[in-house]
PDB file of all heavy atoms in Angstrom:
ATOM      1  N   PHE A   6     138.840  78.293  43.614  1.00 97.00           N
ATOM      2  CA  PHE A   6     137.432  77.898  43.710  1.00 97.00           C
ATOM      3  C   PHE A   6     137.132  76.655  42.880  1.00 97.00           C
ATOM      4  O   PHE A   6     135.970  76.344  42.620  1.00 97.00           O
ATOM      5  CB  PHE A   6     136.527  79.049  43.258  1.00 97.00           C
ATOM      6  CG  PHE A   6     136.612  80.267  44.136  1.00 97.00           C
ATOM      7  CD1 PHE A   6     137.076  81.471  43.617  1.00 97.00           C
ATOM      8  CD2 PHE A   6     136.253  80.213  45.464  1.00 97.00           C
ATOM      9  CE1 PHE A   6     137.163  82.600  44.419  1.00 97.00           C
ATOM     10  CE2 PHE A   6     136.340  81.334  46.285  1.00 97.00           C
ATOM     11  CZ  PHE A   6     136.795  82.529  45.754  1.00 97.00           C
ATOM     12  N   ARG A   7     138.170  75.950  42.482  1.00 97.00           N
ATOM     13  CA  ARG A   7     138.002  74.774  41.626  1.00 97.00           C
ATOM     14  C   ARG A   7     137.053  73.757  42.277  1.00 97.00           C
ATOM     15  O   ARG A   7     137.205  73.393  43.440  1.00 97.00           O
ATOM     16  CB  ARG A   7     139.352  74.129  41.359  1.00 97.00           C
ATOM     17  CG  ARG A   7     139.305  72.917  40.427  1.00 97.00           C
ATOM     18  CD  ARG A   7     140.712  72.497  40.052  1.00 97.00           C
ATOM     19  NE  ARG A   7     141.373  73.534  39.258  1.00 97.00           N
ATOM     20  CZ  ARG A   7     142.698  73.628  39.092  1.00 97.00           C
ATOM     21  NH1 ARG A   7     143.500  72.756  39.693  1.00 97.00           N
ATOM     22  NH2 ARG A   7     143.215  74.587  38.352  1.00 97.00           N
ATOM     23  N   GLY A   8     136.063  73.347  41.496  1.00 97.00           N
ATOM     24  CA  GLY A   8     135.088  72.384  41.988  1.00 97.00           C
ATOM     25  C   GLY A   8     133.907  73.004  42.681  1.00 97.00           C
ATOM     26  O   GLY A   8     132.957  72.300  43.057  1.00 97.00           O
ATOM     27  N   TYR A   9     133.923  74.315  42.850  1.00 97.00           N
ATOM     28  CA  TYR A   9     132.837  75.008  43.541  1.00 97.00           C
ATOM     29  C   TYR A   9     132.309  76.187  42.737  1.00 97.00           C
ATOM     30  O   TYR A   9     131.937  77.219  43.286  1.00 97.00           O
ATOM     31  CB  TYR A   9     133.308  75.480  44.919  1.00 97.00           C
ATOM     32  CG  TYR A   9     133.623  74.337  45.848  1.00 97.00           C
ATOM     33  CD1 TYR A   9     134.926  73.852  45.954  1.00 97.00           C
ATOM     34  CD2 TYR A   9     132.625  73.720  46.599  1.00 97.00           C
ATOM     35  CE1 TYR A   9     135.224  72.782  46.786  1.00 97.00           C
ATOM     36  CE2 TYR A   9     132.910  72.657  47.432  1.00 97.00           C
ATOM     37  CZ  TYR A   9     134.204  72.192  47.524  1.00 97.00           C
ATOM     38  OH  TYR A   9     134.494  71.138  48.346  1.00 97.00           O
ATOM     39  N   VAL A  10     132.301  76.024  41.422  1.00 98.00           N
ATOM     40  CA  VAL A  10     131.824  77.065  40.512  1.00 98.00           C
ATOM     41  C   VAL A  10     130.670  76.497  39.682  1.00 98.00           C
ATOM     42  O   VAL A  10     130.727  75.344  39.251  1.00 98.00           O
ATOM     43  CB  VAL A  10     132.948  77.557  39.575  1.00 98.00           C
ATOM     44  CG1 VAL A  10     132.419  78.603  38.592  1.00 98.00           C
ATOM     45  CG2 VAL A  10     134.103  78.122  40.382  1.00 98.00           C
ATOM     46  N   ALA A  11     129.640  77.301  39.468  1.00 97.00           N
ATOM     47  CA  ALA A  11     128.502  76.883  38.643  1.00 97.00           C
ATOM     48  C   ALA A  11     128.308  77.877  37.511  1.00 97.00           C
ATOM     49  O   ALA A  11     128.381  79.097  37.715  1.00 97.00           O
ATOM     50  CB  ALA A  11     127.225  76.782  39.471  1.00 97.00           C
ATOM     51  N   LEU A  12     128.053  77.353  36.324  1.00 97.00           N
ATOM     52  CA  LEU A  12     127.787  78.182  35.149  1.00 97.00           C
ATOM     53  C   LEU A  12     126.352  77.975  34.697  1.00 97.00           C
ATOM     54  O   LEU A  12     125.792  76.889  34.846  1.00 97.00           O
ATOM     55  CB  LEU A  12     128.708  77.812  33.989  1.00 97.00           C
ATOM     56  CG  LEU A  12     130.201  78.094  34.094  1.00 97.00           C
ATOM     57  CD1 LEU A  12     130.874  77.689  32.798  1.00 97.00           C
ATOM     58  CD2 LEU A  12     130.451  79.558  34.381  1.00 97.00           C
ATOM     59  N   GLU A  13     125.776  79.014  34.097  1.00 97.00           N
ATOM     60  CA  GLU A  13     124.455  78.868  33.501  1.00 97.00           C
ATOM     61  C   GLU A  13     124.588  78.166  32.150  1.00 97.00           C
ATOM     62  O   GLU A  13     125.520  78.415  31.389  1.00 97.00           O
ATOM     63  CB  GLU A  13     123.790  80.228  33.290  1.00 97.00           C
ATOM     64  CG  GLU A  13     122.390  80.110  32.719  1.00 97.00           C
ATOM     65  CD  GLU A  13     121.702  81.442  32.484  1.00 97.00           C
ATOM     66  OE1 GLU A  13     122.335  82.488  32.730  1.00 97.00           O
ATOM     67  OE2 GLU A  13     120.540  81.441  32.052  1.00 97.00           O
ATOM     68  N   ASP A  14     123.630  77.307  31.862  1.00 97.00           N
ATOM     69  CA  ASP A  14     123.606  76.612  30.569  1.00 97.00           C
ATOM     70  C   ASP A  14     123.049  77.560  29.509  1.00 97.00           C
ATOM     71  O   ASP A  14     121.919  77.413  29.045  1.00 97.00           O
ATOM     72  CB  ASP A  14     122.745  75.347  30.684  1.00 97.00           C
ATOM     73  CG  ASP A  14     122.769  74.518  29.401  1.00 97.00           C
ATOM     74  OD1 ASP A  14     123.549  74.849  28.497  1.00 97.00           O
ATOM     75  OD2 ASP A  14     121.995  73.549  29.319  1.00 97.00           O
ATOM     76  N   ASN A  15     123.865  78.543  29.127  1.00 95.00           N
ATOM     77  CA  ASN A  15     123.404  79.575  28.197  1.00 95.00           C
ATOM     78  C   ASN A  15     124.622  80.284  27.602  1.00 95.00           C
ATOM     79  O   ASN A  15     125.391  80.918  28.318  1.00 95.00           O
ATOM     80  CB  ASN A  15     122.512  80.580  28.931  1.00 95.00           C
ATOM     81  CG  ASN A  15     121.817  81.542  27.982  1.00 95.00           C
ATOM     82  OD1 ASN A  15     122.341  81.889  26.936  1.00 95.00           O
ATOM     83  ND2 ASN A  15     120.631  81.978  28.362  1.00 95.00           N
ATOM     84  N   TYR A  16     124.779  80.159  26.287  1.00 94.00           N
ATOM     85  CA  TYR A  16     125.951  80.771  25.653  1.00 94.00           C
ATOM     86  C   TYR A  16     125.865  82.282  25.574  1.00 94.00           C
ATOM     87  O   TYR A  16     126.885  82.946  25.379  1.00 94.00           O
ATOM     88  CB  TYR A  16     126.178  80.182  24.257  1.00 94.00           C
ATOM     89  CG  TYR A  16     124.985  80.214  23.330  1.00 94.00           C
ATOM     90  CD1 TYR A  16     124.591  81.381  22.700  1.00 94.00           C
ATOM     91  CD2 TYR A  16     124.253  79.053  23.092  1.00 94.00           C
ATOM     92  CE1 TYR A  16     123.499  81.406  21.850  1.00 94.00           C
ATOM     93  CE2 TYR A  16     123.159  79.067  22.241  1.00 94.00           C
ATOM     94  CZ  TYR A  16     122.780  80.247  21.616  1.00 94.00           C
ATOM     95  OH  TYR A  16     121.691  80.261  20.784  1.00 94.00           O
ATOM     96  N   THR A  17     124.650  82.861  25.702  1.00 92.00           N
ATOM     97  CA  THR A  17     124.562  84.323  25.668  1.00 92.00           C
ATOM     98  C   THR A  17     124.757  84.943  27.048  1.00 92.00           C
ATOM     99  O   THR A  17     124.737  86.158  27.184  1.00 92.00           O
ATOM    100  CB  THR A  17     123.210  84.806  25.090  1.00 92.00           C
ATOM    101  OG1 THR A  17     122.154  84.434  25.979  1.00 92.00           O
ATOM    102  CG2 THR A  17     122.965  84.215  23.719  1.00 92.00           C
ATOM    103  N   THR A  18     124.949  84.121  28.064  1.00 94.00           N
ATOM    104  CA  THR A  18     125.288  84.637  29.390  1.00 94.00           C
ATOM    105  C   THR A  18     126.680  84.127  29.779  1.00 94.00           C
ATOM    106  O   THR A  18     127.639  84.887  29.776  1.00 94.00           O
ATOM    107  CB  THR A  18     124.239  84.224  30.437  1.00 94.00           C
ATOM    108  OG1 THR A  18     124.050  82.803  30.386  1.00 94.00           O
ATOM    109  CG2 THR A  18     122.918  84.915  30.172  1.00 94.00           C
ATOM    110  N   ALA A  19     126.786  82.843  30.075  1.00 95.00           N
ATOM    111  CA  ALA A  19     128.078  82.291  30.487  1.00 95.00           C
ATOM    112  C   ALA A  19     129.127  82.458  29.396  1.00 95.00           C
ATOM    113  O   ALA A  19     130.279  82.814  29.676  1.00 95.00           O
ATOM    114  CB  ALA A  19     127.920  80.815  30.848  1.00 95.00           C
ATOM    115  N   GLY A  20     128.730  82.207  28.149  1.00 95.00           N
ATOM    116  CA  GLY A  20     129.677  82.344  27.050  1.00 95.00           C
ATOM    117  C   GLY A  20     130.147  83.773  26.867  1.00 95.00           C
ATOM    118  O   GLY A  20     131.338  84.040  26.674  1.00 95.00           O
ATOM    119  N   GLN A  21     129.210  84.716  26.967  1.00 96.00           N
ATOM    120  CA  GLN A  21     129.566  86.114  26.748  1.00 96.00           C
ATOM    121  C   GLN A  21     130.375  86.669  27.921  1.00 96.00           C
ATOM    122  O   GLN A  21     131.296  87.469  27.732  1.00 96.00           O
ATOM    123  CB  GLN A  21     128.302  86.950  26.525  1.00 96.00           C
ATOM    124  CG  GLN A  21     128.594  88.342  25.981  1.00 96.00           C
ATOM    125  CD  GLN A  21     127.330  89.059  25.551  1.00 96.00           C
ATOM    126  OE1 GLN A  21     126.363  88.451  25.104  1.00 96.00           O
ATOM    127  NE2 GLN A  21     127.331  90.370  25.709  1.00 96.00           N
ATOM    128  N   LYS A  22     130.050  86.234  29.143  1.00 96.00           N
ATOM    129  CA  LYS A  22     130.838  86.663  30.299  1.00 96.00           C
ATOM    130  C   LYS A  22     132.269  86.132  30.211  1.00 96.00           C
ATOM    131  O   LYS A  22     133.225  86.825  30.570  1.00 96.00           O
ATOM    132  CB  LYS A  22     130.177  86.179  31.591  1.00 96.00           C
ATOM    133  CG  LYS A  22     128.873  86.875  31.916  1.00 96.00           C
ATOM    134  CD  LYS A  22     128.218  86.251  33.140  1.00 96.00           C
ATOM    135  CE  LYS A  22     126.836  86.821  33.374  1.00 96.00           C
ATOM    136  NZ  LYS A  22     126.148  86.169  34.508  1.00 96.00           N
ATOM    137  N   THR A  23     132.393  84.907  29.731  1.00 97.00           N
ATOM    138  CA  THR A  23     133.729  84.341  29.551  1.00 97.00           C
ATOM    139  C   THR A  23     134.514  85.153  28.526  1.00 97.00           C
ATOM    140  O   THR A  23     135.704  85.435  28.719  1.00 97.00           O
ATOM    141  CB  THR A  23     133.637  82.874  29.099  1.00 97.00           C
ATOM    142  OG1 THR A  23     132.884  82.128  30.056  1.00 97.00           O
ATOM    143  CG2 THR A  23     135.021  82.262  28.959  1.00 97.00           C
ATOM    144  N   ALA A  24     133.838  85.540  27.451  1.00 97.00           N
ATOM    145  CA  ALA A  24     134.490  86.359  26.426  1.00 97.00           C
ATOM    146  C   ALA A  24     134.927  87.701  27.001  1.00 97.00           C
ATOM    147  O   ALA A  24     136.015  88.208  26.691  1.00 97.00           O
ATOM    148  CB  ALA A  24     133.547  86.566  25.245  1.00 97.00           C
ATOM    149  N   LEU A  25     134.089  88.288  27.850  1.00 95.00           N
ATOM    150  CA  LEU A  25     134.424  89.564  28.483  1.00 95.00           C
ATOM    151  C   LEU A  25     135.676  89.405  29.348  1.00 95.00           C
ATOM    152  O   LEU A  25     136.572  90.258  29.319  1.00 95.00           O
ATOM    153  CB  LEU A  25     133.245  90.042  29.332  1.00 95.00           C
ATOM    154  CG  LEU A  25     133.409  91.371  30.063  1.00 95.00           C
ATOM    155  CD1 LEU A  25     133.586  92.518  29.077  1.00 95.00           C
ATOM    156  CD2 LEU A  25     132.197  91.637  30.961  1.00 95.00           C
ATOM    157  N   TYR A  26     135.739  88.302  30.081  1.00 96.00           N
ATOM    158  CA  TYR A  26     136.920  88.027  30.925  1.00 96.00           C
ATOM    159  C   TYR A  26     138.174  87.840  30.076  1.00 96.00           C
ATOM    160  O   TYR A  26     139.226  88.433  30.367  1.00 96.00           O
ATOM    161  CB  TYR A  26     136.667  86.785  31.774  1.00 96.00           C
ATOM    162  CG  TYR A  26     137.931  86.190  32.339  1.00 96.00           C
ATOM    163  CD1 TYR A  26     138.607  86.809  33.394  1.00 96.00           C
ATOM    164  CD2 TYR A  26     138.468  85.009  31.812  1.00 96.00           C
ATOM    165  CE1 TYR A  26     139.776  86.268  33.904  1.00 96.00           C
ATOM    166  CE2 TYR A  26     139.638  84.471  32.316  1.00 96.00           C
ATOM    167  CZ  TYR A  26     140.293  85.104  33.357  1.00 96.00           C
ATOM    168  OH  TYR A  26     141.457  84.567  33.851  1.00 96.00           O
ATOM    169  N   LEU A  27     138.076  87.014  29.043  1.00 97.00           N
ATOM    170  CA  LEU A  27     139.239  86.731  28.208  1.00 97.00           C
ATOM    171  C   LEU A  27     139.753  87.981  27.515  1.00 97.00           C
ATOM    172  O   LEU A  27     140.963  88.187  27.387  1.00 97.00           O
ATOM    173  CB  LEU A  27     138.888  85.657  27.179  1.00 97.00           C
ATOM    174  CG  LEU A  27     138.598  84.260  27.733  1.00 97.00           C
ATOM    175  CD1 LEU A  27     138.106  83.344  26.628  1.00 97.00           C
ATOM    176  CD2 LEU A  27     139.832  83.679  28.405  1.00 97.00           C
ATOM    177  N   LYS A  28     138.833  88.834  27.092  1.00 96.00           N
ATOM    178  CA  LYS A  28     139.225  90.090  26.432  1.00 96.00           C
ATOM    179  C   LYS A  28     139.903  91.030  27.431  1.00 96.00           C
ATOM    180  O   LYS A  28     140.979  91.576  27.145  1.00 96.00           O
ATOM    181  CB  LYS A  28     137.989  90.775  25.834  1.00 96.00           C
ATOM    182  CG  LYS A  28     138.264  92.128  25.180  1.00 96.00           C
ATOM    183  CD  LYS A  28     136.979  92.745  24.627  1.00 96.00           C
ATOM    184  CE  LYS A  28     137.196  94.152  24.083  1.00 96.00           C
ATOM    185  NZ  LYS A  28     138.081  94.171  22.917  1.00 96.00           N
ATOM    186  N   ALA A  29     139.288  91.184  28.606  1.00 94.00           N
ATOM    187  CA  ALA A  29     139.826  92.104  29.604  1.00 94.00           C
ATOM    188  C   ALA A  29     141.180  91.634  30.123  1.00 94.00           C
ATOM    189  O   ALA A  29     142.064  92.445  30.422  1.00 94.00           O
ATOM    190  CB  ALA A  29     138.840  92.248  30.766  1.00 94.00           C
ATOM    191  N   ALA A  30     141.355  90.316  30.211  1.00 95.00           N
ATOM    192  CA  ALA A  30     142.613  89.759  30.718  1.00 95.00           C
ATOM    193  C   ALA A  30     143.690  89.686  29.640  1.00 95.00           C
ATOM    194  O   ALA A  30     144.840  89.351  29.933  1.00 95.00           O
ATOM    195  CB  ALA A  30     142.364  88.369  31.297  1.00 95.00           C
ATOM    196  N   GLY A  31     143.327  89.994  28.409  1.00 96.00           N
ATOM    197  CA  GLY A  31     144.286  89.945  27.320  1.00 96.00           C
ATOM    198  C   GLY A  31     144.677  88.533  26.914  1.00 96.00           C
ATOM    199  O   GLY A  31     145.714  88.325  26.293  1.00 96.00           O
ATOM    200  N   LEU A  32     143.801  87.564  27.231  1.00 97.00           N
ATOM    201  CA  LEU A  32     144.104  86.171  26.913  1.00 97.00           C
ATOM    202  C   LEU A  32     143.675  85.787  25.509  1.00 97.00           C
ATOM    203  O   LEU A  32     144.254  84.890  24.894  1.00 97.00           O
ATOM    204  CB  LEU A  32     143.418  85.249  27.932  1.00 97.00           C
ATOM    205  CG  LEU A  32     143.887  85.422  29.381  1.00 97.00           C
ATOM    206  CD1 LEU A  32     143.064  84.536  30.304  1.00 97.00           C
ATOM    207  CD2 LEU A  32     145.368  85.099  29.498  1.00 97.00           C
ATOM    208  N   VAL A  33     142.634  86.434  25.009  1.00 97.00           N
ATOM    209  CA  VAL A  33     142.137  86.178  23.659  1.00 97.00           C
ATOM    210  C   VAL A  33     141.774  87.510  23.015  1.00 97.00           C
ATOM    211  O   VAL A  33     141.183  88.377  23.660  1.00 97.00           O
ATOM    212  CB  VAL A  33     140.897  85.253  23.668  1.00 97.00           C
ATOM    213  CG1 VAL A  33     140.354  85.067  22.254  1.00 97.00           C
ATOM    214  CG2 VAL A  33     141.245  83.894  24.267  1.00 97.00           C
ATOM    215  N   ASP A  34     142.123  87.674  21.761  1.00 96.00           N
ATOM    216  CA  ASP A  34     141.789  88.898  21.030  1.00 96.00           C
ATOM    217  C   ASP A  34     140.352  88.804  20.550  1.00 96.00           C
ATOM    218  O   ASP A  34     140.054  88.123  19.572  1.00 96.00           O
ATOM    219  CB  ASP A  34     142.745  89.081  19.850  1.00 96.00           C
ATOM    220  CG  ASP A  34     142.499  90.406  19.121  1.00 96.00           C
ATOM    221  OD1 ASP A  34     141.815  91.274  19.696  1.00 96.00           O
ATOM    222  OD2 ASP A  34     142.982  90.554  17.978  1.00 96.00           O
ATOM    223  N   ILE A  35     139.451  89.481  21.260  1.00 97.00           N
ATOM    224  CA  ILE A  35     138.022  89.476  20.933  1.00 97.00           C
ATOM    225  C   ILE A  35     137.582  90.916  20.709  1.00 97.00           C
ATOM    226  O   ILE A  35     137.664  91.750  21.616  1.00 97.00           O
ATOM    227  CB  ILE A  35     137.189  88.833  22.056  1.00 97.00           C
ATOM    228  CG1 ILE A  35     137.583  87.368  22.239  1.00 97.00           C
ATOM    229  CG2 ILE A  35     135.692  88.944  21.750  1.00 97.00           C
ATOM    230  CD1 ILE A  35     136.906  86.679  23.401  1.00 97.00           C
ATOM    231  N   LYS A  36     137.109  91.210  19.522  1.00 96.00           N
ATOM    232  CA  LYS A  36     136.724  92.577  19.202  1.00 96.00           C
ATOM    233  C   LYS A  36     135.467  92.990  19.934  1.00 96.00           C
ATOM    234  O   LYS A  36     135.402  94.054  20.550  1.00 96.00           O
ATOM    235  CB  LYS A  36     136.534  92.724  17.687  1.00 96.00           C
ATOM    236  CG  LYS A  36     136.185  94.146  17.256  1.00 96.00           C
ATOM    237  CD  LYS A  36     136.072  94.248  15.734  1.00 96.00           C
ATOM    238  CE  LYS A  36     135.735  95.684  15.331  1.00 96.00           C
ATOM    239  NZ  LYS A  36     135.600  95.822  13.860  1.00 96.00           N
ATOM    240  N   ASP A  37     134.427  92.165  19.864  1.00 96.00           N
ATOM    241  CA  ASP A  37     133.143  92.493  20.480  1.00 96.00           C
ATOM    242  C   ASP A  37     132.584  91.258  21.182  1.00 96.00           C
ATOM    243  O   ASP A  37     132.070  90.357  20.525  1.00 96.00           O
ATOM    244  CB  ASP A  37     132.158  92.986  19.415  1.00 96.00           C
ATOM    245  CG  ASP A  37     130.813  93.392  20.006  1.00 96.00           C
ATOM    246  OD1 ASP A  37     130.650  93.330  21.244  1.00 96.00           O
ATOM    247  OD2 ASP A  37     129.925  93.771  19.222  1.00 96.00           O
ATOM    248  N   PRO A  38     132.667  91.183  22.529  1.00 96.00           N
ATOM    249  CA  PRO A  38     132.162  90.008  23.242  1.00 96.00           C
ATOM    250  C   PRO A  38     130.681  89.732  23.023  1.00 96.00           C
ATOM    251  O   PRO A  38     130.231  88.603  23.203  1.00 96.00           O
ATOM    252  CB  PRO A  38     132.434  90.350  24.709  1.00 96.00           C
ATOM    253  CG  PRO A  38     133.576  91.317  24.669  1.00 96.00           C
ATOM    254  CD  PRO A  38     133.338  92.138  23.428  1.00 96.00           C
ATOM    255  N   SER A  39     129.927  90.757  22.627  1.00 95.00           N
ATOM    256  CA  SER A  39     128.492  90.575  22.437  1.00 95.00           C
ATOM    257  C   SER A  39     128.131  90.020  21.063  1.00 95.00           C
ATOM    258  O   SER A  39     126.986  89.608  20.835  1.00 95.00           O
ATOM    259  CB  SER A  39     127.755  91.910  22.640  1.00 95.00           C
ATOM    260  OG  SER A  39     128.051  92.818  21.584  1.00 95.00           O
ATOM    261  N   ASN A  40     129.091  89.993  20.159  1.00 97.00           N
ATOM    262  CA  ASN A  40     128.794  89.514  18.806  1.00 97.00           C
ATOM    263  C   ASN A  40     130.078  88.949  18.192  1.00 97.00           C
ATOM    264  O   ASN A  40     130.695  89.550  17.321  1.00 97.00           O
ATOM    265  CB  ASN A  40     128.231  90.645  17.944  1.00 97.00           C
ATOM    266  CG  ASN A  40     127.600  90.132  16.680  1.00 97.00           C
ATOM    267  OD1 ASN A  40     127.160  88.984  16.589  1.00 97.00           O
ATOM    268  ND2 ASN A  40     127.535  90.981  15.665  1.00 97.00           N
ATOM    269  N   MET A  41     130.446  87.771  18.657  1.00 97.00           N
ATOM    270  CA  MET A  41     131.733  87.198  18.285  1.00 97.00           C
ATOM    271  C   MET A  41     131.716  86.526  16.916  1.00 97.00           C
ATOM    272  O   MET A  41     130.678  86.077  16.433  1.00 97.00           O
ATOM    273  CB  MET A  41     132.153  86.170  19.347  1.00 97.00           C
ATOM    274  CG  MET A  41     132.537  86.801  20.669  1.00 97.00           C
ATOM    275  SD  MET A  41     133.029  85.565  21.896  1.00 97.00           S
ATOM    276  CE  MET A  41     131.412  85.075  22.527  1.00 97.00           C
ATOM    277  N   THR A  42     132.879  86.465  16.336  1.00 98.00           N
ATOM    278  CA  THR A  42     133.051  85.711  15.096  1.00 98.00           C
ATOM    279  C   THR A  42     133.081  84.215  15.436  1.00 98.00           C
ATOM    280  O   THR A  42     133.193  83.822  16.607  1.00 98.00           O
ATOM    281  CB  THR A  42     134.370  86.090  14.397  1.00 98.00           C
ATOM    282  OG1 THR A  42     135.469  85.680  15.236  1.00 98.00           O
ATOM    283  CG2 THR A  42     134.440  87.591  14.146  1.00 98.00           C
ATOM    284  N   LYS A  43     133.025  83.375  14.409  1.00 98.00           N
ATOM    285  CA  LYS A  43     133.081  81.931  14.626  1.00 98.00           C
ATOM    286  C   LYS A  43     134.399  81.536  15.299  1.00 98.00           C
ATOM    287  O   LYS A  43     134.426  80.660  16.172  1.00 98.00           O
ATOM    288  CB  LYS A  43     132.923  81.196  13.297  1.00 98.00           C
ATOM    289  CG  LYS A  43     131.554  81.374  12.646  1.00 98.00           C
ATOM    290  CD  LYS A  43     131.482  80.643  11.314  1.00 98.00           C
ATOM    291  CE  LYS A  43     130.123  80.851  10.655  1.00 98.00           C
ATOM    292  NZ  LYS A  43     130.037  80.148   9.337  1.00 98.00           N
ATOM    293  N   GLU A  44     135.478  82.179  14.887  1.00 98.00           N
ATOM    294  CA  GLU A  44     136.783  81.860  15.454  1.00 98.00           C
ATOM    295  C   GLU A  44     136.865  82.289  16.915  1.00 98.00           C
ATOM    296  O   GLU A  44     137.448  81.591  17.754  1.00 98.00           O
ATOM    297  CB  GLU A  44     137.895  82.558  14.652  1.00 98.00           C
ATOM    298  CG  GLU A  44     138.075  82.052  13.226  1.00 98.00           C
ATOM    299  CD  GLU A  44     136.969  82.518  12.277  1.00 98.00           C
ATOM    300  OE1 GLU A  44     136.271  83.509  12.628  1.00 98.00           O
ATOM    301  OE2 GLU A  44     136.803  81.897  11.220  1.00 98.00           O
ATOM    302  N   GLU A  45     136.256  83.436  17.231  1.00 98.00           N
ATOM    303  CA  GLU A  45     136.306  83.939  18.604  1.00 98.00           C
ATOM    304  C   GLU A  45     135.501  83.050  19.552  1.00 98.00           C
ATOM    305  O   GLU A  45     135.973  82.716  20.650  1.00 98.00           O
ATOM    306  CB  GLU A  45     135.789  85.374  18.643  1.00 98.00           C
ATOM    307  CG  GLU A  45     136.744  86.377  18.005  1.00 98.00           C
ATOM    308  CD  GLU A  45     136.128  87.745  17.825  1.00 98.00           C
ATOM    309  OE1 GLU A  45     134.876  87.871  17.903  1.00 98.00           O
ATOM    310  OE2 GLU A  45     136.884  88.704  17.594  1.00 98.00           O
ATOM    311  N   ILE A  46     134.295  82.664  19.147  1.00 98.00           N
ATOM    312  CA  ILE A  46     133.485  81.821  20.029  1.00 98.00           C
ATOM    313  C   ILE A  46     134.136  80.458  20.201  1.00 98.00           C
ATOM    314  O   ILE A  46     134.054  79.842  21.276  1.00 98.00           O
ATOM    315  CB  ILE A  46     132.039  81.697  19.514  1.00 98.00           C
ATOM    316  CG1 ILE A  46     131.170  80.907  20.511  1.00 98.00           C
ATOM    317  CG2 ILE A  46     131.973  81.053  18.155  1.00 98.00           C
ATOM    318  CD1 ILE A  46     131.036  81.535  21.867  1.00 98.00           C
ATOM    319  N   LYS A  47     134.844  79.978  19.172  1.00 98.00           N
ATOM    320  CA  LYS A  47     135.558  78.706  19.301  1.00 98.00           C
ATOM    321  C   LYS A  47     136.650  78.808  20.364  1.00 98.00           C
ATOM    322  O   LYS A  47     136.838  77.888  21.181  1.00 98.00           O
ATOM    323  CB  LYS A  47     136.175  78.286  17.966  1.00 98.00           C
ATOM    324  CG  LYS A  47     136.925  76.956  18.031  1.00 98.00           C
ATOM    325  CD  LYS A  47     137.576  76.602  16.703  1.00 98.00           C
ATOM    326  CE  LYS A  47     138.277  75.242  16.782  1.00 98.00           C
ATOM    327  NZ  LYS A  47     139.301  75.198  17.844  1.00 98.00           N
ATOM    328  N   LYS A  48     137.357  79.920  20.383  1.00 98.00           N
ATOM    329  CA  LYS A  48     138.417  80.112  21.375  1.00 98.00           C
ATOM    330  C   LYS A  48     137.832  80.204  22.784  1.00 98.00           C
ATOM    331  O   LYS A  48     138.429  79.706  23.746  1.00 98.00           O
ATOM    332  CB  LYS A  48     139.218  81.365  21.035  1.00 98.00           C
ATOM    333  CG  LYS A  48     140.073  81.227  19.781  1.00 98.00           C
ATOM    334  CD  LYS A  48     140.827  82.515  19.471  1.00 98.00           C
ATOM    335  CE  LYS A  48     141.659  82.365  18.202  1.00 98.00           C
ATOM    336  NZ  LYS A  48     142.381  83.633  17.869  1.00 98.00           N
ATOM    337  N   VAL A  49     136.675  80.840  22.897  1.00 98.00           N
ATOM    338  CA  VAL A  49     136.002  80.934  24.195  1.00 98.00           C
ATOM    339  C   VAL A  49     135.641  79.543  24.697  1.00 98.00           C
ATOM    340  O   VAL A  49     135.878  79.191  25.856  1.00 98.00           O
ATOM    341  CB  VAL A  49     134.742  81.824  24.098  1.00 98.00           C
ATOM    342  CG1 VAL A  49     133.872  81.677  25.348  1.00 98.00           C
ATOM    343  CG2 VAL A  49     135.136  83.289  23.909  1.00 98.00           C
TER     344      VAL A  49
END
């Protein structure tokens, strides 16, 4: 779907959904997608 994806300009929606994906896929170690540390949000 490259080039045909739209994200909301909002870190508490698009950012948190991305964190949920990364955690579920095992790509990034994120303890709580709803309340990330500085290091976790940087990785997102």
Side-chain angles (χ1 to χ4, degrees):
F6 296 117
R7 182 171 295 161
Y9 294 94
V10 178
L12 292 182
E13 182 181 2
D14 184 7
N15 189 328
Y16 53 77
T17 66
T18 53
Q21 193 170 328
K22 290 175 187 176
T23 303
L25 181 63
Y26 162 74
L27 293 173
K28 177 181 175 65
L32 297 176
V33 177
D34 184 15
I35 297 175
K36 182 177 181 181
D37 182 2
S39 69
N40 194 25
M41 290 180 276
T42 65
K43 294 179 181 180
E44 293 74 19
E45 289 170 344
I46 185 62
K47 181 183 182 302
K48 290 179 181 179
V49 167

